[in-house]
Amino acid sequence: MKLLVTDLDGVEHSVDAMLNWTVMEIIRDGDLPMRAECGGSCACATCHVYVDPDWAAKLPAMEREERDTLDGGFEIEANSRLACQLVMTTELDGLRVTLTKDCAG
Amino acid sequence: MTTDAISTDAIIVGAGPVGLFAVFELGLNDMKCQLVDILDKPGGQCAELYPEKPIYDIPGLPIVTGAGLVDALMKQIEPFNPVFHLSQMAESLTKTDEGKWRLTTDAGTVLEAPVMVIAAGGGSFVPKKPPIKGIEQYEGKSVFYSVRRMETFRDRSILIAGGGDSALDWTLNLQPLAHRLTLVHRRDEFRAAPDSVKKMRELAEAGKIDLRIAQIVQLHGEGGQIEAVTLKPDEGEPYTVQCDTLLPFYGLTMKLGPVANFGINLHQNLIQVDTAKFESDIPTIFAIGDINTYPGKLKLILSGFHEAALMAQQAFRYVHPDRKLRFQYTTSSSDLQNKLGVQ
């Protein structure tokens, strides 16, 4: 499985995606910028990414905690998500996300 | 200058779980500690980021919350009477004529000790700065990330940004003083304490504050003086709001800070240590917990506890060079039990 990650320079990277890993962990494992300060406990917004709108329908809806924590991020858009809350499944093979200043800054 | 310095055996930078446990290990080995932390409470990330979240991998504690672990550690180190210097950042480190370390904080506290223990985790918690173009030129002049004196803001046209407790608390506190106050938040939902949200909504309904659901996209002003900001709502066109003061409250982030300037060898912002003593390349400066790196390092609280125990052995040799290091168990040693006050 692959995750396609666009960095802040607009360059797309294809990284190996492991089943049941979070998108945050996959990006970090792919040696791309990923601050994820709280370690994936939905507490800091430093894993904020934009999800390709074409994929939005396949993602689980946001829990209240994720919406609250996103308040600590910047330049929030309708397709903003916290990568630590997105778990890789076979349906998400090829998922496209874009890094933000929050996770790469 | 030395007359004002507080003398101790070990200065610990960072009062997270690992810094707290270091007090215990140093204490068992007859070393007194003073701790410095930028937060206003002990506990580090456990207290600031996830006080209510469960932790499952602390040996012997099948489940404990971040706050619960900090409370337990505070109780465990109580017999050693650690002294905390909170809401202070460790700013500069020099050597005294007697060869001790002298640490000065940004609040002017001066500590002296033969041993330094850096347990600073991911660094200092500092306010998140919005990545808005040109914001730096206004910082400290008309953009502030904290409120030190409320009077500074009397009769100002204030724009507060954020939806958490800090944003709401300062909205309620500064509204009576301000010429006009606008609260900007990206969504019409606030994660702050329900009572604060209720009071803020009442002020907005009474027209005493302006509540704007939008994000800041641009700042306008000159020579460090902000004059207006452009706000962009989810739907509709961006618009501009006049203000002379901007207070962004988006929570905290971690930055290594002045520790980077202490002269210690760093690798990717982490302190390289050996795995026998957890000492940096500068003898008598130790690094334990998430701030250090070595082959096989795992950023786990339990690893930090182990590192604290080994660090304390070498620290003893520096602090008590004339004494022989005695290895004892708390279960059987009446000497240790005396120190713990359980005899």
Side-chain angles (χ1 to χ4, degrees), chain B residues 205-222:
Chain B
E205 272 158 34
K208 292 182 174 171
I209 63 165
D210 295 310
L211 174 60
R212 304 285 189 178
I213 305 304
Q215 297 184 69
I216 303 174
V217 288
Q218 206 186 338
L219 308 181
H220 309 273
E222 232 185 279

Side-chain angles (χ1 to χ4, degrees), chain A residues 37-100:
Chain A
E37 281 180 354
C38 77
S41 61
C42 197
C44 75
T46 57
C47 67
H48 169 209
V49 295
Y50 301 122
V51 174
D52 185 323
D54 290 348
W55 288 87
K58 292 193 174 167
L59 298 174
M62 263 197 255
E63 304 267 348
R64 185 190 164 158
E65 186 176 42
E66 184 180 348
R67 286 201 308 275
D68 282 353
T69 302
L70 260 178
D71 283 353
F74 297 106
E75 299 173 1
I76 306 296
E77 301 289 344
N79 58 339
S80 287
R81 293 297 299 255
L82 294 181
C84 74
Q85 300 301 300
L86 301 174
V87 175
M88 202 63 192
T89 59
T90 48
E91 292 83 66
L92 294 179
D93 187 9
L95 174 70
R96 281 195 146 86
V97 300
T98 299
L99 302 182
T100 67

Side-chain angles (χ1 to χ4, degrees), chain A residues 35 37-38 41-46 64-65 67-77 101, chain B residues 45 49-50 53 128-131 163 185-187 189-191 215 232 234 250 252-255:
Chain A
R35 282 163 65 199
E37 281 180 354
C38 77
S41 61
C42 197
C44 75
T46 57
R64 185 190 164 158
E65 186 176 42
R67 286 201 308 275
D68 282 353
T69 302
L70 260 178
D71 283 353
F74 297 106
E75 299 173 1
I76 306 296
E77 301 289 344
K101 290 171 191 164
Chain B
Q45 286 191 47
L49 283 182
Y50 46 87
K53 301 241 176 197
K128 280 185 185 167
K129 298 185 175 185
H185 185 42
R186 70 176 182 92
R187 55 183 186 135
E189 222 180 318
F190 293 81
R191 64 189 190 287
Q215 297 184 69
K232 185 176 164 292
D234 269 358
Y250 291 96
L252 304 177
T253 188
M254 288 178 275
K255 290 252 157 64

Side-chain angles (χ1 to χ4, degrees), chain B residues 243-258:
Chain B
C243 67
D244 56 31
T245 304
L246 170 62
L247 306 175
F249 294 113
Y250 291 96
L252 304 177
T253 188
M254 288 178 275
K255 290 252 157 64
L256 184 56

